[in-house]
């Protein structure tokens, strides 16, 4: 028997599980209609199920399941019914029937949830093959003019990947001449978030990205 969470926390946990990566609050709002804030967030943080960090110029929260969070999700699959709540939807009951079937499959095949839903993350430190394309897509969304400069502080939250993986891909693209990375000239304008998002190459912190060929 797992420690049952409320419906909102459970929905957040399963959403993070399915996406298998860092998820900004804005994306949570688009997918499930709410953000993970307040006591719901701090409760999951204190339980050790979710790691939350503030990123970007607006310092909005980004969430990702911890190892304990993945373990909780695996146990919750076997509950058979959703946690108690007044006015419970029959859709929630049907969802747990589906989850129960998924749990039986995992146990029968000796598989872990992360092997299914965490496939988009790297394994053994190797960056996912589609991260370069995600960088290009995010750049196109942010850039205001052809070959313009985009701050890494704005780019990173859109990628849904750990900083180390993003750094590895950006450094490889830079070596290949596919992207250009430069420091911000006006150092006084840099915020703590800018410094955190910077990528260090050749002993220098770079804060801005440009891509010529999209």
């Amino acid at each position: 028997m797992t420690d049952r969470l409320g419906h909102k926390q459970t929905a957040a946990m399963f959403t993070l599980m399915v996406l298998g990566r860092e998820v900004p609050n804005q994306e949570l709002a688009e997918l499930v209609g709410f953000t993970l804030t307040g006591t719901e967030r701090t409760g999951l943080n204190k339980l050790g199920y979710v790691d939350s960090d503030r990123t970007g110029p607006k310092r909005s929260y980004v969430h990702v399941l911890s190892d304990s969070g993945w373990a909780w999700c695996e146990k919750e699959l076997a509950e058979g019914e959703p946690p108690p709540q007044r006015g419970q939807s029959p859709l929630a009951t049907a969802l747990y029937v589906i989850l129960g079937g998924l749990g039986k499959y995992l146990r029968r095949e000796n598989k872990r949830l992360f092997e299914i839903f965490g496939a988009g993350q790297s394994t053994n430190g190797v960056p996912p093959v589609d991260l370069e394309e995600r960088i290009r897509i995010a750049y196109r969304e942010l850039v205001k003019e052809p070959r313009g400069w985009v701050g890494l502080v704005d780019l990173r939250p859109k990628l849904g990947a750990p900083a180390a993986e993003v750094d590895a891909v950006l450094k490889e693209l830079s070596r290949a001449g596919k992207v250009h990375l430069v420091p911000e000239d006006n150092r006084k304008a840099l915020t703590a978030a800018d410094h955190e998002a910077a990528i260090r190459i050749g002993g220098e912190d770079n804060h801005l990205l440009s891509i010529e060929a999209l």
Side-chain angles (χ1 to χ4, degrees):
M1 199 72 178
T2 62
D3 296 326
R4 308 307 299 275
L5 301 173
H7 278 208
K8 185 175 180 179
Q9 288 181 318
T10 300
M13 290 286 288
F14 282 145
T15 301
L16 295 176
M17 174 194 79
V18 170
L19 295 177
R21 55 174 170 78
E22 294 180 335
V23 182
N25 259 338
Q26 180 181 353
E27 187 175 355
L28 269 181
E30 294 171 355
L31 290 172
V32 292
F34 64 80
T35 57
L36 189 55
T37 56
T39 57
E40 282 84 6
R41 176 189 63 79
T42 56
L44 293 177
N45 294 158
K46 289 178 181 178
L47 287 169
Y49 296 158
V50 173
D51 295 325
S52 304
D53 290 307
R54 288 184 181 274
T55 62
K58 296 183 179 179
R59 307 299 290 165
S60 58
Y61 276 107
V62 174
H63 314 283
V64 65
L65 283 184
S66 66
D67 290 343
S68 295
W70 283 102
W72 180 91
C73 288
E74 288 183 340
K75 293 178 181 179
E76 183 69 13
L77 297 184
E79 289 293 343
E81 60 183 12
Q85 179 163 303
R86 182 177 298 177
Q88 183 171 294
S89 167
L91 181 60
T93 303
L95 170 63
Y96 268 77
V97 173
I98 298 171
L99 292 176
L102 174 60
K104 291 178 181 178
Y105 165 79
L106 293 173
R107 291 189 292 274
R108 183 174 67 249
E109 300 296 325
N110 194 30
K111 291 183 178 294
R112 304 299 301 274
L113 272 176
F114 186 82
E115 295 178 60
I116 298 175
F117 296 116
Q121 297 188 7
S122 67
T123 55
N124 299 323
V126 179
V129 295
D130 65 333
L131 186 49
E132 177 180 344
E133 181 60 24
R134 284 151 59 189
I135 289 172
R136 293 180 180 278
I137 292 172
Y139 175 80
R140 287 197 295 267
E141 292 176 351
L142 292 168
V143 74
K144 296 181 179 179
E145 58 185 25
R147 298 182 296 280
W149 295 100
V150 167
L152 293 180
V153 70
D154 300 314
L155 184 80
R156 289 185 186 274
K158 288 180 169 291
L159 303 178
E165 293 182 3
V166 175
D167 287 355
V169 173
L170 286 177
K171 288 178 180 179
E172 179 60 33
L173 293 174
S174 178
R175 285 192 292 267
K178 295 181 179 180
V179 306
H180 302 288
L181 294 159
V182 299
E184 169 60 59
D185 290 333
N186 184 6
R187 295 305 178 99
K188 292 183 179 180
L190 293 174
T191 65
D194 289 309
H195 288 296
E196 184 179 351
I199 180 171
R200 194 165 186 81
I201 298 178
E204 187 173 44
D205 285 340
N206 296 272
H207 313 90
L208 302 171
L209 167 81
S210 175
I211 303 178
E212 292 189 9
L214 294 177

